[in-house]
């Protein structure tokens, strides 16, 4: 066995272990964003925007199908994008969001979550997009 093989073998084993430890994207089940169920409040109670991001980063925030970094990515939102904040999970680390396809703030009303909803929480079904974002990337605007 060559010296090169001896050096590469442990590196390959470490890479295999690291990759197997991460959750697989296709194993995380989708979790719908729930809206409504708040007595005397809107279906989604707050509005926020994607806050300015570090210059060294990707320049976007991932929207996922479930509140999990291993969940499939649905969308990528840039700073300043307005969002409805609907529900939080996992010690408020993740928030379920609803947002219009276009980023204009005047389109937010089209999402239909600014009305009072006394019913039990239900999965959001459109017409806007929905998903999960790590709350750290969101700046609260109202609510």
């Amino acid at each position: 066995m060559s010296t090169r093989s001896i050096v590469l073998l442990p590196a390959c084993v470490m890479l295999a272990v690291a990759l197997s430890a991460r959750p697989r994207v296709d194993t995380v089940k989708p979790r719908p964003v729930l809206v409504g169920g708040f007595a005397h409040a809107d279906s989604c109670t707050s509005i926020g925007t994607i806050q300015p991001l570090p210059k060294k980063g990707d320049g976007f925030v991932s929207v996922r199908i479930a509140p999990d970094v291993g969940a499939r990515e649905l969308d990528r939102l840039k700073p300043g994008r307005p969002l409805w904040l609907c529900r939080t999970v996992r010690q408020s680390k993740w928030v379920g969001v609803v947002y219009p396809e276009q980023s204009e703030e005047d389109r937010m009303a089209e999402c239909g979550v600014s009305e009072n909803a006394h019913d039990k929480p239900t999965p959001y079904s459109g017409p806007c997009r929905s998903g999960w974002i790590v709350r750290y990337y969101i700046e609260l605007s109202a609510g």
Side-chain angles (χ1 to χ4, degrees), residues 1 13 33 49 59 64 74 76 98 104 110 117 120 123 129:
M1 186 179 276
V13 170
V33 172
T49 56
R64 301 200 177 269
L74 290 171
R76 293 177 172 185
V98 171
E104 298 92 28
E110 295 175 8
K120 65 179 181 172
R129 295 181 178 197

Side-chain angles (χ1 to χ4, degrees), residues 28-104:
V28 178
K29 292 182 180 181
R31 182 171 176 176
V33 172
L34 298 179
V35 298
F38 302 110
H40 310 295
D42 297 340
S43 295
C44 292
T45 57
S46 301
I47 295 175
T49 56
I50 301 297
Q51 68 179 350
L53 302 171
K55 293 183 182 192
K56 294 180 182 178
D58 300 335
F60 64 85
V61 172
S62 295
V63 180
R64 301 200 177 269
I65 63 168
D68 190 307
V69 293
R72 183 172 53 85
E73 185 180 77
L74 290 171
D75 212 346
R76 293 177 172 185
L77 303 181
K78 300 233 181 240
R81 182 68 181 261
L83 313 156
W84 285 102
L85 311 181
C86 302
R87 298 269 174 174
T88 58
V89 295
R90 295 198 182 171
Q91 294 80 32
S92 300
K93 180 180 178 180
W94 290 88
V95 62
V97 299
V98 171
Y99 56 99
E101 196 162 336
Q102 275 78 33
S103 65
E104 298 92 28

Side-chain angles (χ1 to χ4, degrees), residues 124-142:
Y124 182 72
S125 59
C128 293
R129 295 181 178 197
S130 64
W132 297 90
I133 295 178
V134 174
R135 188 172 189 89
Y136 172 80
Y137 298 109
I138 300 172
E139 190 173 84
L140 189 63
S141 305

